[in-house]
Structure formats: C-alpha cells, structure tokens
Amino acid sequence: CGHICMASGVLKGLECIAPLVRSVEETLEPIPTAVQGTIPSWIRGNLLRNGPGKFEFGNTHYNHWFDGMALLHQFKIQEGEVTYRSRFLQSDSYRKNSEKDRIMVSEFGTLALPDPCQNFFQRFLSRFEMISNVSFVKYKGDYYVSTETNLMHKVDPETLASIEKVDWSKFVAVNGATAHPHCDPDGTVYNMGNSYGSKGALYNIVRVPPEKKDSTDSLQGATVLCSIMPANKSHPSYYHSFAMSENYVVFIEQPIKMDLLKIVTCKLRGKGLSEGIYWDPKQDTVFHLVDKKTGQASSVRYHTKAISTFHQINAFEEDGFLMLDMCCSEDGQAINNYLIQNLRKSGDALDQVYNEMTRVFPRRFVLPLGVTSDTQSNQNLNTRPDSLATCLKTGQDKVLCQHEDLHGDDLLDYGGLEFPQINYGQNNTRPYRYFYGCGFRHLVGDSLLKMDLKDKSLKVWQQQGFYPSEPVFVPSPDAVDEDQGVILSVVLTPSQDKGTFLLVLDAQTFEELGRANVPVNIPYGFHGTFNPTA
C-alpha cells in the first residue's frame, strides 16, 4: 500500500486495511498490557467496546461488515495499569452458526439458505433493523447489548458474560430499539423502535423509567411516549439514532427508505436484506419534535433538503430555539458501501471505493420553537447573533431549515468527522463548547479530532498507519472545565501484527499521556462506553 496523496479531495494510495476486518479468537481471561508513558491513576473502570469479530463459519461467509458476530471487548483500567479481555456475545445467531459451522441465520447483507416457512413480516423486519454488533447500552444501571429480533442480552461488565436475554416486545409493543438511547439526569432513558401492523410501520419513542424494583427488573415500566406515522407507511425511513434536548425528543425522518415488501420477500427472491434499502434524494429530511412531558408531537414539521445522518452530536434549547447538531452527509448510500469485499480491497480499487463515498460533516440546524399561525412567513426566524443557519415558515405548520457548518475549511483535510462524542454527563441537552470525533481519510477513522465551537478550531491526533476508534471522553474527578479529563481510543495498526493499543489523550491539550499495548489482534469496532468502578 503506497503513500497517500491528495488532489482536490481525491485520495490515492490508501493503505490496505483488510487485517481490520479479519476474524479473531476471543481472549476469555484478562491479559496484561505494556504501558508506555503514563495512564492517570484516577481513571478507574472498564472501557467496553463492541464490534464485529467473526466473519465466517465453515465455508460460508458474511457479505456486510455489520453482519459479523458481535465481539465484546473490555479494557480494565486501574492504578495506571490496563488488562484486556474479549468474548463473543452468545447470541442465538452465534450459537446456531457455531453448532452447524455455517451461517444459518440471515443478517443485514447476507442471505442464509432459503427457508420460505419463516417468511413473516415481524421476524424479518426486526432482524433487519437490529444491527447487532453496534454498542453497549445502559438501562437502570445495567449494561445490555442489542442483538437480533427484539432481544437484548444483559452483560456483566466485569466478565463480559451474557447474564440473561431480555425481550423488548414483552414490555412494550416495539420491534427492538436503537443502539443509541438518551438519558436524562434522573436516569430516565429514551429510545426509539418501530412497530408493524397490517397497515405498515410506526416510529415509536419509548421511555424507560429509572426506578429498579428489584435485581431482576429490566425494562419494567417501559411505555411508548409517542408514535409517529411515516410519510409512507410501507416505505418507512431507516434510522440509527435520534436527538434529545431538555424538553424534546427529535426524530429525524431521512430519505433512506426501507421497502417493506422487498425486505419481506428477499429470501424468496434470493437477495440480502440490504437490497430493500434505498436513498431517495428527491424527498426532504424532516425533523419531528415530541414533548417529553406530554408525549405530544408538534404539529410543526421542520424540513431540510435530503441529508442522511447516523449520529447526532447534541441538541439544546436556548432563547426560544432548539439547536440540533449532527453529523450529516449529502448522500444516503453509505450503508451499502460497507461490504466486507470493499473493506478488503487494496490499490486503485480501494481508492475508488473511498473517493466515491460522500464525506460526513458536523452541522447545526436552528429550529424555532414558538411557531404559530401568526408567525410571519418567508422571513428568517433565526435571530441568534453569529448564527448563519436559517429557518423560514413556508406554510401552515411547515418550517424550512438551512444548516450552518460546525467546522472550518481545515476539516476537509481530515476527511470530515464521524463518531461524535461530548462530555455527555455534563453537557448533553445543554449548551456546550467541545465535541470529539474521528477524521475519515480512509474507510475507517484515521485521526482523532477535537472541535472547539467557540472559534471552530480543531485539535488533531494523527499518526501514519494508525486507525483510532471512536473517542470516549472520561471527565476527571475534580473537573471544572467541560474538557477536563481524558480521551480513550483503541488504535489499530493493519501493517503490524498485534500492534493494537489503548490510547489515552489529555482532552484539553490533545497530547498523548500514555498507551497500553495489547498483544492480540482486534478487528475494527464501532462504539464504546466507559463504565466507572469505585
């Protein structure tokens, strides 16, 4: 793999990253790591990560990156030392596939051998939406990993063992939920999931109360706060997450559409589930606001041109406006680019895959909250000083929004930004100054970025041939400033065998404090969470 050169945004000579999408063995017992530099002794807890770790069984293999079997990782940090362990999630897919040593269960982009008897709506659509190897989520103080259908596995953060299976549909009428719930300061958790009836799909916002009645309590007390009807019930939008401010849940209905009929018949037609997903750039992206106290959806719909989003950065209310910050792309084809065969390419073929993809950039939409029949039409309602975003009432209950960029031109040199993170505990749903993310001068992140919204300036950690995962912010115990703490990221090196390390950066200066070298190969993963221990 050659040296990268960049002309007019086109990259050539990308390094082959095939080793980052190879199957690995699990590391069931904790192993020590070699620490270089210093890992602050105040960091006590587990960095938990999840991502695909097995891409074939016998001579059958998965086609899509999201299909690989979920491998759970734990980096235990205490007294400046780090141990590592990993374990495959004992999902039904993993067990069935292992038993027969071949792929028995259809995943997102892969077709198992046809079984027409099992061809009914609910099962298919729930399988389709639950991309299982994404994230650890927390309800009522317990950690869960989402898997196929409506199931989540409760996981012990100390051993990574699956403790029990929890079925969403036993508590509330939804087919599973996203891997990106939001949490209020009192511990109430909000999430979203679809439900399907004879007339098609509904988007549901689900509320899970913080109270835990006893140790067996999981999703008890979960309720549907609000159901939103899709613009087209047989072609609902695909969504990976949603946004939340202090008083509102914001659902983003984007023109990545799911053709339910195609999905339900994909086995009969011999196609993978992802064939049923398409991008329709002629449709607007629509923001739906739901009041968290009343469960009422606002009659005002906020429209913008077709954009796609996987991850929101933050949302907050100020001076009668709701600021919605998210990572956006002008195109919704990305989900189909992450075929394993693309990730394993090299040379010109790899460069071509990258250069044909649309970059993702952080943007802010400003949504006016007090729009009534008396609000003047066709004039910019955004009165916030120094804000370039616009919002115009264009009809009864319709506001047209144009974003402002949350970055300067220098972000173009780093390939845009994805996997955004903030100081969530202190600043989620509130005004904030900093966010962190990965720069993408490759199909996977190849730099760590810190954005200062005060002047849109960037701090960067980047080293040639090193591919860092999503940055996780951990505040220091005595923090006064929003960015006082560390950034944790797992860095992979496709050109070095067993070259993985846990990187610790000072979040304020973005300088490296230390790294813990892990003597195993780890595949590229998506999301992580820090579980502090006493």
Side-chain angles (χ1 to χ4, degrees):
C1 298
H3 181 67
I4 296 175
C5 62
M6 188 170 186
S8 65
V10 173
L11 292 188
K12 290 202 179 321
L14 290 177
E15 179 179 8
C16 176
I17 55 165
L20 306 188
V21 282
R22 275 201 196 128
S23 298
V24 296
E25 298 295 317
E26 54 192 359
T27 305
L28 293 172
E29 292 304 315
I31 55 171
T33 63
V35 173
Q36 281 172 262
T38 306
I39 293 177
S41 56
W42 60 260
I43 309 174
R44 289 185 65 86
N46 301 315
L47 175 65
L48 303 172
R49 287 187 51 78
N50 185 9
K54 187 171 174 62
F55 300 97
E56 60 279 303
F57 286 89
N59 58 9
T60 55
H61 62 87
Y62 286 117
N63 295 324
H64 200 283
W65 192 18
F66 295 172
D67 291 346
M69 294 288 99
L71 182 62
L72 313 181
H73 309 267
Q74 176 209 67
F75 297 83
K76 180 182 273 303
I77 309 170
Q78 51 190 20
E79 311 301 339
E81 297 295 323
V82 180
T83 59
Y84 169 79
R85 76 191 318 172
S86 65
R87 185 186 286 266
F88 281 107
L89 182 71
Q90 297 296 307
S91 64
D92 293 350
S93 297
Y94 182 79
R95 286 208 312 278
K96 284 177 188 161
N97 294 343
S98 299
E99 230 168 76
K100 297 277 200 284
D101 198 27
R102 55 180 267 219
I103 295 170
M104 303 296 291
V105 183
S106 292
E107 305 285 341
F108 176 75
T110 305
L111 187 75
L113 285 174
D115 178 356
C117 308
Q118 289 188 324
N119 207 347
F120 56 93
F121 218 40
Q122 294 291 101
R123 184 176 169 274
F124 257 76
L125 293 164
S126 55
R127 292 267 333 107
F128 175 67
E129 280 167 36
M130 296 314 298
I131 292 172
S132 67
N133 50 35
V134 172
S135 193
F136 280 84
V137 297
K138 199 173 179 182
Y139 296 98
K140 304 186 187 186
D142 292 320
Y143 286 90
Y144 293 86
V145 175
S146 314
T147 67
E148 61 277 274
T149 58
N150 306 317
L151 298 176
M152 293 192 301
H153 287 248
K154 188 190 283 190
V155 171
D156 180 340
E158 288 303 320
T159 64
L160 301 181
S162 304
I163 303 167
E164 64 168 314
K165 286 197 290 197
V166 176
D167 184 342
W168 269 103
S169 62
K170 293 221 165 48
F171 300 96
V172 66
V174 298
N175 271 30
T178 80
H180 294 288
H182 275 293
C183 191
D184 267 345
D186 70 353
T188 302
V189 177
Y190 295 85
N191 208 337
M192 288 197 61
N194 285 1
S195 56
Y196 300 96
S198 55
K199 296 190 176 74
L202 284 173
Y203 312 121
N204 301 290
I205 296 165
V206 178
R207 183 180 175 279
V208 182
E211 304 81 29
K212 199 171 177 181
K213 307 269 186 297
D214 56 50
S215 61
T216 61
D217 188 339
S218 55
L219 298 175
Q220 275 80 349
T223 52
V224 171
L225 178 71
C226 177
S227 297
I228 297 169
M229 199 177 291
N232 177 341
K233 291 190 79 169
S234 62
H235 290 236
S237 290
Y238 168 84
Y239 57 95
H240 181 77
S241 59
F242 61 97
M244 185 176 87
S245 67
E246 185 183 355
N247 295 298
Y248 297 94
V249 168
V250 185
F251 172 58
I252 299 146
E253 189 171 22
Q254 59 187 353
I256 302 179
K257 299 294 178 181
M258 304 191 301
D259 182 330
L260 299 188
L261 188 64
K262 263 194 180 166
I263 291 166
V264 171
T265 58
C266 66
K267 268 197 176 174
L268 295 175
R269 294 180 301 109
K271 301 282 188 195
L273 292 171
S274 51
E275 294 270 320
I277 214 165
Y278 65 97
W279 167 246
D280 184 356
K282 295 188 295 298
Q283 294 192 42
D284 283 355
T285 293
V286 181
F287 307 127
H288 300 261
L289 268 57
V290 174
D291 186 308
K292 284 156 67 174
K293 291 186 190 68
T294 65
Q296 288 294 309
S298 166
S299 60
V300 178
R301 300 274 195 272
Y302 301 86
H303 288 244
T304 191
K305 64 178 184 185
I307 52 163
S308 70
T309 179
F310 276 79
H311 300 112
Q312 285 68 59
I313 305 167
N314 199 1
F316 62 94
E317 297 156 47
E318 205 171 53
D319 307 328
F321 296 95
L322 189 151
M323 271 51 71
L324 176 60
D325 296 352
M326 55 195 204
C327 290
C328 303
S329 165
E330 302 283 326
D331 185 9
Q333 313 279 15
I335 204 162
N336 293 321
N337 291 324
Y338 285 101
L339 295 169
I340 290 167
Q341 68 200 35
N342 284 346
L343 293 161
R344 289 180 176 165
K345 283 179 175 170
S346 59
D348 292 346
L350 175 63
D351 294 349
Q352 186 182 345
V353 172
Y354 176 82
N355 290 318
E356 285 174 357
M357 286 172 72
T358 312
R359 305 291 149 252
V360 175
F361 290 102
R363 293 175 173 177
R364 171 168 292 174
F365 292 88
V366 176
L367 314 184
L369 291 171
V371 176
T372 65
S373 53
D374 300 331
T375 303
Q376 274 201 290
S377 293
N378 296 318
Q379 70 174 44
N380 184 12
L381 301 174
N382 181 12
T383 53
R384 288 173 64 80
D386 306 322
S387 171
L388 298 173
T390 61
C391 39
L392 289 85
K393 182 181 170 190
T394 57
Q396 185 69 29
D397 292 339
K398 182 174 177 181
V399 174
L400 191 62
C401 301
Q402 171 69 35
H403 70 271
E404 63 183 306
D405 291 332
L406 294 185
H407 62 89
D409 290 345
D410 52 352
L411 185 57
L412 304 176
D413 298 335
Y414 295 101
L417 182 148
E418 247 293 11
F419 296 142
Q421 286 287 326
I422 60 170
N423 181 341
Y424 191 95
Q426 183 187 310
N427 290 92
N428 191 51
T429 76
R430 299 185 185 100
Y432 70 115
R433 180 172 168 182
Y434 303 105
F435 65 89
Y436 312 89
C438 288
F440 273 77
R441 281 168 54 100
H442 208 306
L443 296 180
V444 296
D446 75 329
S447 61
L448 292 169
L449 305 174
K450 176 188 184 181
M451 181 66 74
D452 183 343
L453 288 174
K454 197 171 180 186
D455 56 6
K456 295 183 180 168
S457 63
L458 270 184
K459 282 188 164 63
V460 182
W461 181 93
Q462 185 174 35
Q463 292 182 8
Q464 182 75 34
F466 288 8
Y467 297 87
S469 70
E470 171 193 65
V472 172
F473 177 82
V474 182
S476 55
D478 50 357
V480 179
D481 297 325
E482 179 187 331
D483 60 346
Q484 243 176 304
V486 297
I487 290 292
L488 304 178
S489 175
V490 179
V491 181
L492 307 180
T493 55
S495 59
Q496 294 173 42
D497 188 46
K498 302 188 170 96
T500 309
F501 57 91
L502 174 66
L503 175 68
V504 184
L505 298 180
D506 179 317
Q508 288 187 305
T509 64
F510 237 49
E511 297 295 322
E512 179 174 338
L513 295 172
R515 59 176 71 177
N517 296 291
V518 187
V520 296
N521 288 319
I522 298 179
Y524 192 83
F526 304 117
H527 296 294
T529 186
F530 185 71
N531 154 234
T533 52

mmCIF file of all heavy atoms in Angstrom, residues 457-489:
data_model
loop_
_atom_site.group_PDB
_atom_site.id
_atom_site.type_symbol
_atom_site.label_atom_id
_atom_site.label_comp_id
_atom_site.label_asym_id
_atom_site.label_seq_id
_atom_site.Cartn_x
_atom_site.Cartn_y
_atom_site.Cartn_z
ATOM 1 N N SER A 457 -12.182 25.849 15.855
ATOM 2 C CA SER A 457 -10.794 25.406 15.662
ATOM 3 C C SER A 457 -10.657 23.933 16.021
ATOM 4 O O SER A 457 -11.399 23.414 16.867
ATOM 5 C CB SER A 457 -9.844 26.248 16.521
ATOM 6 O OG SER A 457 -10.144 26.057 17.899
ATOM 7 N N LEU A 458 -9.707 23.281 15.366
ATOM 8 C CA LEU A 458 -9.506 21.837 15.529
ATOM 9 C C LEU A 458 -8.215 21.541 16.257
ATOM 10 O O LEU A 458 -7.193 22.198 16.022
ATOM 11 C CB LEU A 458 -9.365 21.177 14.145
ATOM 12 C CG LEU A 458 -10.563 20.650 13.387
ATOM 13 C CD1 LEU A 458 -10.079 19.975 12.118
ATOM 14 C CD2 LEU A 458 -11.376 19.672 14.225
ATOM 15 N N LYS A 459 -8.251 20.512 17.110
ATOM 16 C CA LYS A 459 -7.021 19.871 17.589
ATOM 17 C C LYS A 459 -7.043 18.455 17.035
ATOM 18 O O LYS A 459 -8.106 17.840 16.930
ATOM 19 C CB LYS A 459 -6.970 19.846 19.118
ATOM 20 C CG LYS A 459 -6.579 21.185 19.749
ATOM 21 C CD LYS A 459 -6.353 21.011 21.251
ATOM 22 C CE LYS A 459 -5.597 22.168 21.864
ATOM 23 N NZ LYS A 459 -6.297 23.441 21.788
ATOM 24 N N VAL A 460 -5.862 17.930 16.695
ATOM 25 C CA VAL A 460 -5.802 16.658 15.960
ATOM 26 C C VAL A 460 -4.744 15.734 16.560
ATOM 27 O O VAL A 460 -3.640 16.179 16.906
ATOM 28 C CB VAL A 460 -5.438 16.907 14.471
ATOM 29 C CG1 VAL A 460 -5.429 15.593 13.688
ATOM 30 C CG2 VAL A 460 -6.408 17.896 13.838
ATOM 31 N N TRP A 461 -5.102 14.441 16.677
ATOM 32 C CA TRP A 461 -4.099 13.389 16.921
ATOM 33 C C TRP A 461 -4.127 12.471 15.698
ATOM 34 O O TRP A 461 -5.179 11.922 15.361
ATOM 35 C CB TRP A 461 -4.431 12.576 18.192
ATOM 36 C CG TRP A 461 -3.394 11.521 18.466
ATOM 37 C CD1 TRP A 461 -2.290 11.638 19.255
ATOM 38 C CD2 TRP A 461 -3.356 10.182 17.942
ATOM 39 N NE1 TRP A 461 -1.561 10.475 19.248
ATOM 40 C CE2 TRP A 461 -2.188 9.559 18.451
ATOM 41 C CE3 TRP A 461 -4.176 9.449 17.086
ATOM 42 C CZ2 TRP A 461 -1.839 8.250 18.139
ATOM 43 C CZ3 TRP A 461 -3.820 8.143 16.768
ATOM 44 C CH2 TRP A 461 -2.664 7.546 17.291
ATOM 45 N N GLN A 462 -2.980 12.341 15.047
ATOM 46 C CA GLN A 462 -2.926 11.507 13.845
ATOM 47 C C GLN A 462 -1.519 10.962 13.686
ATOM 48 O O GLN A 462 -0.547 11.694 13.858
ATOM 49 C CB GLN A 462 -3.300 12.347 12.618
ATOM 50 C CG GLN A 462 -3.386 11.550 11.330
ATOM 51 C CD GLN A 462 -3.903 12.401 10.179
ATOM 52 O OE1 GLN A 462 -3.616 13.591 10.107
ATOM 53 N NE2 GLN A 462 -4.671 11.808 9.277
ATOM 54 N N GLN A 463 -1.416 9.658 13.398
ATOM 55 C CA GLN A 463 -0.110 9.073 13.084
ATOM 56 C C GLN A 463 -0.284 8.126 11.906
ATOM 57 O O GLN A 463 -1.236 7.335 11.880
ATOM 58 C CB GLN A 463 0.464 8.335 14.309
ATOM 59 C CG GLN A 463 0.845 9.304 15.429
ATOM 60 C CD GLN A 463 1.467 8.628 16.644
ATOM 61 O OE1 GLN A 463 1.760 7.443 16.630
ATOM 62 N NE2 GLN A 463 1.656 9.388 17.702
ATOM 63 N N GLN A 464 0.605 8.227 10.946
ATOM 64 C CA GLN A 464 0.509 7.436 9.720
ATOM 65 C C GLN A 464 0.388 5.937 10.033
ATOM 66 O O GLN A 464 1.160 5.403 10.823
ATOM 67 C CB GLN A 464 1.770 7.679 8.877
ATOM 68 C CG GLN A 464 1.801 6.970 7.537
ATOM 69 C CD GLN A 464 0.885 7.622 6.516
ATOM 70 O OE1 GLN A 464 0.714 8.829 6.507
ATOM 71 N NE2 GLN A 464 0.278 6.818 5.670
ATOM 72 N N GLY A 465 -0.603 5.293 9.420
ATOM 73 C CA GLY A 465 -0.745 3.839 9.584
ATOM 74 C C GLY A 465 -1.501 3.417 10.831
ATOM 75 O O GLY A 465 -1.638 2.228 11.101
ATOM 76 N N PHE A 466 -1.995 4.408 11.620
ATOM 77 C CA PHE A 466 -2.724 4.092 12.851
ATOM 78 C C PHE A 466 -4.187 4.499 12.679
ATOM 79 O O PHE A 466 -4.476 5.598 12.205
ATOM 80 C CB PHE A 466 -2.130 4.852 14.043
ATOM 81 C CG PHE A 466 -0.779 4.334 14.494
ATOM 82 C CD1 PHE A 466 -0.091 3.380 13.759
ATOM 83 C CD2 PHE A 466 -0.192 4.812 15.649
ATOM 84 C CE1 PHE A 466 1.156 2.907 14.173
ATOM 85 C CE2 PHE A 466 1.040 4.352 16.078
ATOM 86 C CZ PHE A 466 1.719 3.399 15.328
ATOM 87 N N TYR A 467 -5.112 3.631 13.121
ATOM 88 C CA TYR A 467 -6.539 3.847 12.900
ATOM 89 C C TYR A 467 -7.280 3.824 14.239
ATOM 90 O O TYR A 467 -7.543 2.762 14.789
ATOM 91 C CB TYR A 467 -7.085 2.781 11.934
ATOM 92 C CG TYR A 467 -6.412 2.904 10.585
ATOM 93 C CD1 TYR A 467 -5.207 2.259 10.323
ATOM 94 C CD2 TYR A 467 -6.943 3.729 9.596
ATOM 95 C CE1 TYR A 467 -4.545 2.423 9.107
ATOM 96 C CE2 TYR A 467 -6.306 3.882 8.377
ATOM 97 C CZ TYR A 467 -5.105 3.229 8.138
ATOM 98 O OH TYR A 467 -4.464 3.398 6.943
ATOM 99 N N PRO A 468 -7.592 5.020 14.778
ATOM 100 C CA PRO A 468 -8.228 5.086 16.104
ATOM 101 C C PRO A 468 -9.744 4.888 16.039
ATOM 102 O O PRO A 468 -10.397 5.276 15.076
ATOM 103 C CB PRO A 468 -7.892 6.502 16.577
ATOM 104 C CG PRO A 468 -7.703 7.289 15.323
ATOM 105 C CD PRO A 468 -7.246 6.338 14.247
ATOM 106 N N SER A 469 -10.275 4.317 17.103
ATOM 107 C CA SER A 469 -11.728 4.120 17.212
ATOM 108 C C SER A 469 -12.365 5.378 17.787
ATOM 109 O O SER A 469 -11.677 6.298 18.237
ATOM 110 C CB SER A 469 -12.008 2.941 18.141
ATOM 111 O OG SER A 469 -11.667 3.310 19.475
ATOM 112 N N GLU A 470 -13.681 5.358 17.821
ATOM 113 C CA GLU A 470 -14.466 6.438 18.422
ATOM 114 C C GLU A 470 -13.852 6.914 19.738
ATOM 115 O O GLU A 470 -13.561 6.113 20.625
ATOM 116 C CB GLU A 470 -15.873 5.888 18.703
ATOM 117 C CG GLU A 470 -16.755 6.802 19.516
ATOM 118 C CD GLU A 470 -17.998 6.078 20.015
ATOM 119 O OE1 GLU A 470 -17.873 5.142 20.832
ATOM 120 O OE2 GLU A 470 -19.085 6.441 19.583
ATOM 121 N N PRO A 471 -13.649 8.244 19.894
ATOM 122 C CA PRO A 471 -13.086 8.753 21.149
ATOM 123 C C PRO A 471 -14.134 8.736 22.266
ATOM 124 O O PRO A 471 -15.268 9.162 22.050
ATOM 125 C CB PRO A 471 -12.710 10.193 20.796
ATOM 126 C CG PRO A 471 -13.624 10.564 19.669
ATOM 127 C CD PRO A 471 -13.922 9.301 18.913
ATOM 128 N N VAL A 472 -13.761 8.220 23.422
ATOM 129 C CA VAL A 472 -14.666 8.226 24.581
ATOM 130 C C VAL A 472 -14.100 9.215 25.605
ATOM 131 O O VAL A 472 -12.946 9.093 26.019
ATOM 132 C CB VAL A 472 -14.788 6.811 25.184
ATOM 133 C CG1 VAL A 472 -15.573 6.842 26.490
ATOM 134 C CG2 VAL A 472 -15.463 5.870 24.178
ATOM 135 N N PHE A 473 -14.913 10.201 25.983
ATOM 136 C CA PHE A 473 -14.473 11.212 26.944
ATOM 137 C C PHE A 473 -14.756 10.738 28.363
ATOM 138 O O PHE A 473 -15.873 10.311 28.670
ATOM 139 C CB PHE A 473 -15.209 12.533 26.687
ATOM 140 C CG PHE A 473 -14.860 13.603 27.690
ATOM 141 C CD1 PHE A 473 -13.704 14.360 27.554
ATOM 142 C CD2 PHE A 473 -15.677 13.850 28.786
ATOM 143 C CE1 PHE A 473 -13.367 15.337 28.486
ATOM 144 C CE2 PHE A 473 -15.355 14.826 29.732
ATOM 145 C CZ PHE A 473 -14.198 15.563 29.575
ATOM 146 N N VAL A 474 -13.749 10.821 29.228
ATOM 147 C CA VAL A 474 -13.920 10.490 30.652
ATOM 148 C C VAL A 474 -13.503 11.721 31.460
ATOM 149 O O VAL A 474 -12.340 12.137 31.413
ATOM 150 C CB VAL A 474 -13.053 9.276 31.069
ATOM 151 C CG1 VAL A 474 -13.293 8.937 32.545
ATOM 152 C CG2 VAL A 474 -13.340 8.072 30.183
ATOM 153 N N PRO A 475 -14.461 12.349 32.191
ATOM 154 C CA PRO A 475 -14.107 13.564 32.949
ATOM 155 C C PRO A 475 -13.230 13.224 34.145
ATOM 156 O O PRO A 475 -13.381 12.161 34.756
ATOM 157 C CB PRO A 475 -15.468 14.104 33.403
ATOM 158 C CG PRO A 475 -16.392 12.919 33.399
ATOM 159 C CD PRO A 475 -15.868 11.962 32.360
ATOM 160 N N SER A 476 -12.309 14.136 34.482
ATOM 161 C CA SER A 476 -11.510 13.901 35.690
ATOM 162 C C SER A 476 -12.371 14.197 36.916
ATOM 163 O O SER A 476 -13.340 14.952 36.831
ATOM 164 C CB SER A 476 -10.245 14.756 35.673
ATOM 165 O OG SER A 476 -10.586 16.100 35.512
ATOM 166 N N PRO A 477 -12.044 13.568 38.062
ATOM 167 C CA PRO A 477 -12.932 13.633 39.232
ATOM 168 C C PRO A 477 -13.165 15.058 39.734
ATOM 169 O O PRO A 477 -14.227 15.375 40.242
ATOM 170 C CB PRO A 477 -12.202 12.804 40.298
ATOM 171 C CG PRO A 477 -11.047 12.155 39.643
ATOM 172 C CD PRO A 477 -10.857 12.741 38.285
ATOM 173 N N ASP A 478 -12.193 15.936 39.568
ATOM 174 C CA ASP A 478 -12.318 17.292 40.116
ATOM 175 C C ASP A 478 -12.540 18.309 38.993
ATOM 176 O O ASP A 478 -12.226 19.481 39.142
ATOM 177 C CB ASP A 478 -11.045 17.641 40.893
ATOM 178 C CG ASP A 478 -9.793 17.342 40.067
ATOM 179 O OD1 ASP A 478 -9.946 16.823 38.922
ATOM 180 O OD2 ASP A 478 -8.673 17.617 40.531
ATOM 181 N N ALA A 479 -13.091 17.870 37.871
ATOM 182 C CA ALA A 479 -13.183 18.734 36.683
ATOM 183 C C ALA A 479 -14.034 19.964 36.942
ATOM 184 O O ALA A 479 -15.106 19.884 37.544
ATOM 185 C CB ALA A 479 -13.755 17.940 35.519
ATOM 186 N N VAL A 480 -13.525 21.111 36.477
ATOM 187 C CA VAL A 480 -14.278 22.358 36.491
ATOM 188 C C VAL A 480 -14.662 22.693 35.051
ATOM 189 O O VAL A 480 -15.804 23.035 34.763
ATOM 190 C CB VAL A 480 -13.427 23.509 37.096
ATOM 191 C CG1 VAL A 480 -14.222 24.812 37.089
ATOM 192 C CG2 VAL A 480 -12.968 23.145 38.495
ATOM 193 N N ASP A 481 -13.707 22.567 34.141
ATOM 194 C CA ASP A 481 -13.954 22.877 32.730
ATOM 195 C C ASP A 481 -14.574 21.687 32.015
ATOM 196 O O ASP A 481 -14.345 20.532 32.371
ATOM 197 C CB ASP A 481 -12.639 23.257 32.033
ATOM 198 C CG ASP A 481 -12.034 24.529 32.628
ATOM 199 O OD1 ASP A 481 -12.821 25.413 33.025
ATOM 200 O OD2 ASP A 481 -10.791 24.610 32.711
ATOM 201 N N GLU A 482 -15.331 22.010 30.956
ATOM 202 C CA GLU A 482 -16.049 20.993 30.175
ATOM 203 C C GLU A 482 -15.112 19.937 29.586
ATOM 204 O O GLU A 482 -15.478 18.776 29.447
ATOM 205 C CB GLU A 482 -16.810 21.708 29.047
ATOM 206 C CG GLU A 482 -17.579 20.811 28.129
ATOM 207 C CD GLU A 482 -18.165 21.566 26.930
ATOM 208 O OE1 GLU A 482 -18.466 22.774 27.055
ATOM 209 O OE2 GLU A 482 -18.327 20.938 25.873
ATOM 210 N N ASP A 483 -13.877 20.358 29.238
ATOM 211 C CA ASP A 483 -12.963 19.410 28.570
ATOM 212 C C ASP A 483 -11.865 18.897 29.496
ATOM 213 O O ASP A 483 -10.845 18.376 29.028
ATOM 214 C CB ASP A 483 -12.347 20.043 27.316
ATOM 215 C CG ASP A 483 -11.543 21.306 27.625
ATOM 216 O OD1 ASP A 483 -11.667 21.846 28.761
ATOM 217 O OD2 ASP A 483 -10.802 21.775 26.737
ATOM 218 N N GLN A 484 -12.085 19.018 30.811
ATOM 219 C CA GLN A 484 -11.089 18.495 31.753
ATOM 220 C C GLN A 484 -11.288 17.001 31.901
ATOM 221 O O GLN A 484 -12.325 16.553 32.411
ATOM 222 C CB GLN A 484 -11.241 19.170 33.119
ATOM 223 C CG GLN A 484 -10.027 19.982 33.522
ATOM 224 C CD GLN A 484 -10.259 20.704 34.829
ATOM 225 O OE1 GLN A 484 -11.224 21.462 34.973
ATOM 226 N NE2 GLN A 484 -9.395 20.463 35.798
ATOM 227 N N GLY A 485 -10.322 16.211 31.448
ATOM 228 C CA GLY A 485 -10.449 14.765 31.502
ATOM 229 C C GLY A 485 -9.558 14.138 30.452
ATOM 230 O O GLY A 485 -8.571 14.744 30.016
ATOM 231 N N VAL A 486 -9.903 12.933 30.047
ATOM 232 C CA VAL A 486 -9.094 12.223 29.045
ATOM 233 C C VAL A 486 -9.995 11.725 27.906
ATOM 234 O O VAL A 486 -11.218 11.609 28.058
ATOM 235 C CB VAL A 486 -8.332 11.022 29.652
ATOM 236 C CG1 VAL A 486 -7.326 11.467 30.693
ATOM 237 C CG2 VAL A 486 -9.296 9.974 30.215
ATOM 238 N N ILE A 487 -9.355 11.437 26.805
ATOM 239 C CA ILE A 487 -9.983 10.749 25.680
ATOM 240 C C ILE A 487 -9.378 9.355 25.611
ATOM 241 O O ILE A 487 -8.148 9.198 25.629
ATOM 242 C CB ILE A 487 -9.706 11.501 24.360
ATOM 243 C CG1 ILE A 487 -10.472 12.821 24.320
ATOM 244 C CG2 ILE A 487 -10.039 10.631 23.148
ATOM 245 C CD1 ILE A 487 -11.971 12.691 24.235
ATOM 246 N N LEU A 488 -10.248 8.334 25.552
ATOM 247 C CA LEU A 488 -9.808 6.945 25.374
ATOM 248 C C LEU A 488 -10.168 6.506 23.959
ATOM 249 O O LEU A 488 -11.286 6.751 23.495
ATOM 250 C CB LEU A 488 -10.514 6.019 26.369
ATOM 251 C CG LEU A 488 -10.377 6.352 27.864
ATOM 252 C CD1 LEU A 488 -11.176 5.347 28.701
ATOM 253 C CD2 LEU A 488 -8.904 6.341 28.292
ATOM 254 N N SER A 489 -9.223 5.857 23.280
ATOM 255 C CA SER A 489 -9.498 5.345 21.937
ATOM 256 C C SER A 489 -8.638 4.108 21.711
ATOM 257 O O SER A 489 -7.486 4.063 22.141
ATOM 258 C CB SER A 489 -9.172 6.413 20.889
ATOM 259 O OG SER A 489 -9.319 5.891 19.582
#
